[in-house]
Amino acid sequence: VVVSEPRVFEEGPVEGEHGFQKTVMEIDIDGKTLRLESGEIGRLAAGSVVARQGDSVVYTSACGDLDTSKEEVIEDFVPMSVHYQERSSAAGKTSGGYIKRDGRPSDEEVLVSRIIDRTLRPLFPVGFCREVQILSWVLSYDQAANVDPIALVSASAALLSSAIPFDTPVAGVAVGMDAGGKFVVNP
């Protein structure tokens, strides 16, 4: 597995656009570029990140109860909810018939939400018990790429870019095996 050093830079607004400056981080993983963008959309969330790899795009926002005037109740539990959703329109599909909406989450969406939850929950500081909500949407889906690791990385980056006390970056990959018996990252 070949991983490059991360490149961090800022991109200013293009002439005639909204005028928001975005911070970009790019890293190459086995020849595929993972691009994390923050600061352009989701500005009212505590932290938001758009992650891109190939033609796959995942938008993740992190919100939390940051009201310091509330009395702090120390518990051994972080009330965190994670919602991951793959919109059918992300893959270019349009619902037909009577039901036009995506409906309840599929089993795979629930499993990806659990992967994100089980990975991030133990990394909050001891004694932190404020409500945290992580929302992750697949906006564009490349059939050749697995978006589950991208969603995990973008959830971690959204928490890191917020004021929520979360200081441990997390990265995830899917590992497969090719026909020759060699391991492949994000097959």
Side-chain angles (χ1 to χ4, degrees), residues 162-179:
S162 72
I164 299 169
F166 184 85
D167 300 327
T168 308
V170 173
V173 295
V175 178
M177 189 174 284
D178 65 5

mmCIF file of all heavy atoms in Angstrom, residues 162-179:
data_model
loop_
_atom_site.group_PDB
_atom_site.id
_atom_site.type_symbol
_atom_site.label_atom_id
_atom_site.label_comp_id
_atom_site.label_asym_id
_atom_site.label_seq_id
_atom_site.Cartn_x
_atom_site.Cartn_y
_atom_site.Cartn_z
ATOM 1 N N SER A 162 -14.918 20.565 13.930
ATOM 2 C CA SER A 162 -15.926 21.208 14.768
ATOM 3 C C SER A 162 -15.333 21.572 16.128
ATOM 4 O O SER A 162 -14.191 21.233 16.436
ATOM 5 C CB SER A 162 -17.121 20.268 14.964
ATOM 6 O OG SER A 162 -16.758 19.207 15.817
ATOM 7 N N ALA A 163 -16.146 22.237 16.949
ATOM 8 C CA ALA A 163 -15.741 22.571 18.316
ATOM 9 C C ALA A 163 -16.054 21.443 19.291
ATOM 10 O O ALA A 163 -15.797 21.568 20.485
ATOM 11 C CB ALA A 163 -16.442 23.850 18.759
ATOM 12 N N ILE A 164 -16.606 20.357 18.805
ATOM 13 C CA ILE A 164 -16.894 19.186 19.645
ATOM 14 C C ILE A 164 -15.558 18.595 20.090
ATOM 15 O O ILE A 164 -14.648 18.447 19.267
ATOM 16 C CB ILE A 164 -17.727 18.154 18.854
ATOM 17 C CG1 ILE A 164 -19.060 18.762 18.439
ATOM 18 C CG2 ILE A 164 -17.947 16.883 19.656
ATOM 19 C CD1 ILE A 164 -19.842 17.931 17.443
ATOM 20 N N PRO A 165 -15.399 18.260 21.371
ATOM 21 C CA PRO A 165 -14.107 17.755 21.838
ATOM 22 C C PRO A 165 -13.799 16.353 21.310
ATOM 23 O O PRO A 165 -14.130 15.342 21.921
ATOM 24 C CB PRO A 165 -14.243 17.774 23.363
ATOM 25 C CG PRO A 165 -15.694 17.713 23.622
ATOM 26 C CD PRO A 165 -16.365 18.386 22.465
ATOM 27 N N PHE A 166 -13.185 16.317 20.165
ATOM 28 C CA PHE A 166 -12.801 15.062 19.511
ATOM 29 C C PHE A 166 -11.458 15.334 18.858
ATOM 30 O O PHE A 166 -11.357 16.149 17.939
ATOM 31 C CB PHE A 166 -13.853 14.679 18.459
ATOM 32 C CG PHE A 166 -13.598 13.359 17.796
ATOM 33 C CD1 PHE A 166 -14.024 12.185 18.385
ATOM 34 C CD2 PHE A 166 -12.929 13.285 16.594
ATOM 35 C CE1 PHE A 166 -13.788 10.959 17.787
ATOM 36 C CE2 PHE A 166 -12.691 12.070 15.982
ATOM 37 C CZ PHE A 166 -13.124 10.904 16.581
ATOM 38 N N ASP A 167 -10.401 14.686 19.326
ATOM 39 C CA ASP A 167 -9.052 15.045 18.884
ATOM 40 C C ASP A 167 -8.300 13.930 18.175
ATOM 41 O O ASP A 167 -7.127 14.084 17.870
ATOM 42 C CB ASP A 167 -8.216 15.493 20.097
ATOM 43 C CG ASP A 167 -8.821 16.703 20.779
ATOM 44 O OD1 ASP A 167 -9.423 17.532 20.077
ATOM 45 O OD2 ASP A 167 -8.705 16.812 22.011
ATOM 46 N N THR A 168 -8.941 12.797 17.921
ATOM 47 C CA THR A 168 -8.243 11.658 17.340
ATOM 48 C C THR A 168 -8.722 11.423 15.911
ATOM 49 O O THR A 168 -9.856 11.002 15.705
ATOM 50 C CB THR A 168 -8.497 10.384 18.173
ATOM 51 O OG1 THR A 168 -8.198 10.657 19.538
ATOM 52 C CG2 THR A 168 -7.642 9.244 17.682
ATOM 53 N N PRO A 169 -7.873 11.685 14.915
ATOM 54 C CA PRO A 169 -8.298 11.407 13.542
ATOM 55 C C PRO A 169 -8.413 9.910 13.296
ATOM 56 O O PRO A 169 -7.666 9.116 13.864
ATOM 57 C CB PRO A 169 -7.186 12.021 12.687
ATOM 58 C CG PRO A 169 -6.066 12.301 13.593
ATOM 59 C CD PRO A 169 -6.555 12.275 14.995
ATOM 60 N N VAL A 170 -9.361 9.530 12.456
ATOM 61 C CA VAL A 170 -9.610 8.127 12.139
ATOM 62 C C VAL A 170 -9.595 7.966 10.630
ATOM 63 O O VAL A 170 -10.137 8.799 9.908
ATOM 64 C CB VAL A 170 -10.974 7.672 12.704
ATOM 65 C CG1 VAL A 170 -11.317 6.274 12.244
ATOM 66 C CG2 VAL A 170 -10.986 7.757 14.206
ATOM 67 N N ALA A 171 -8.983 6.903 10.171
ATOM 68 C CA ALA A 171 -9.004 6.564 8.752
ATOM 69 C C ALA A 171 -9.453 5.122 8.622
ATOM 70 O O ALA A 171 -9.223 4.312 9.517
ATOM 71 C CB ALA A 171 -7.632 6.753 8.130
ATOM 72 N N GLY A 172 -10.101 4.809 7.533
ATOM 73 C CA GLY A 172 -10.562 3.455 7.306
ATOM 74 C C GLY A 172 -10.413 3.081 5.847
ATOM 75 O O GLY A 172 -10.497 3.939 4.972
ATOM 76 N N VAL A 173 -10.162 1.827 5.595
ATOM 77 C CA VAL A 173 -10.092 1.308 4.238
ATOM 78 C C VAL A 173 -10.793 -0.040 4.190
ATOM 79 O O VAL A 173 -10.958 -0.699 5.215
ATOM 80 C CB VAL A 173 -8.633 1.142 3.734
ATOM 81 C CG1 VAL A 173 -7.930 2.466 3.619
ATOM 82 C CG2 VAL A 173 -7.855 0.188 4.600
ATOM 83 N N ALA A 174 -11.199 -0.425 3.022
ATOM 84 C CA ALA A 174 -11.692 -1.780 2.795
ATOM 85 C C ALA A 174 -10.550 -2.555 2.147
ATOM 86 O O ALA A 174 -9.835 -2.029 1.294
ATOM 87 C CB ALA A 174 -12.905 -1.756 1.880
ATOM 88 N N VAL A 175 -10.355 -3.782 2.580
ATOM 89 C CA VAL A 175 -9.265 -4.594 2.051
ATOM 90 C C VAL A 175 -9.867 -5.803 1.348
ATOM 91 O O VAL A 175 -10.706 -6.506 1.913
ATOM 92 C CB VAL A 175 -8.306 -5.047 3.179
ATOM 93 C CG1 VAL A 175 -7.200 -5.924 2.614
ATOM 94 C CG2 VAL A 175 -7.718 -3.843 3.891
ATOM 95 N N GLY A 176 -9.444 -6.025 0.113
ATOM 96 C CA GLY A 176 -9.902 -7.167 -0.665
ATOM 97 C C GLY A 176 -8.710 -7.933 -1.217
ATOM 98 O O GLY A 176 -7.554 -7.594 -0.933
ATOM 99 N N MET A 177 -8.985 -8.947 -1.998
ATOM 100 C CA MET A 177 -7.913 -9.743 -2.582
ATOM 101 C C MET A 177 -8.199 -9.921 -4.069
ATOM 102 O O MET A 177 -9.334 -10.228 -4.451
ATOM 103 C CB MET A 177 -7.826 -11.100 -1.889
ATOM 104 C CG MET A 177 -6.615 -11.906 -2.282
ATOM 105 S SD MET A 177 -6.453 -13.432 -1.329
ATOM 106 C CE MET A 177 -5.855 -12.788 0.217
ATOM 107 N N ASP A 178 -7.173 -9.706 -4.890
ATOM 108 C CA ASP A 178 -7.360 -9.879 -6.326
ATOM 109 C C ASP A 178 -7.187 -11.348 -6.716
ATOM 110 O O ASP A 178 -6.948 -12.210 -5.870
ATOM 111 C CB ASP A 178 -6.421 -8.957 -7.112
ATOM 112 C CG ASP A 178 -4.945 -9.295 -6.919
ATOM 113 O OD1 ASP A 178 -4.636 -10.307 -6.258
ATOM 114 O OD2 ASP A 178 -4.100 -8.539 -7.422
ATOM 115 N N ALA A 179 -7.309 -11.632 -7.999
ATOM 116 C CA ALA A 179 -7.247 -13.016 -8.474
ATOM 117 C C ALA A 179 -5.875 -13.651 -8.253
ATOM 118 O O ALA A 179 -5.765 -14.867 -8.129
ATOM 119 C CB ALA A 179 -7.602 -13.063 -9.958
#
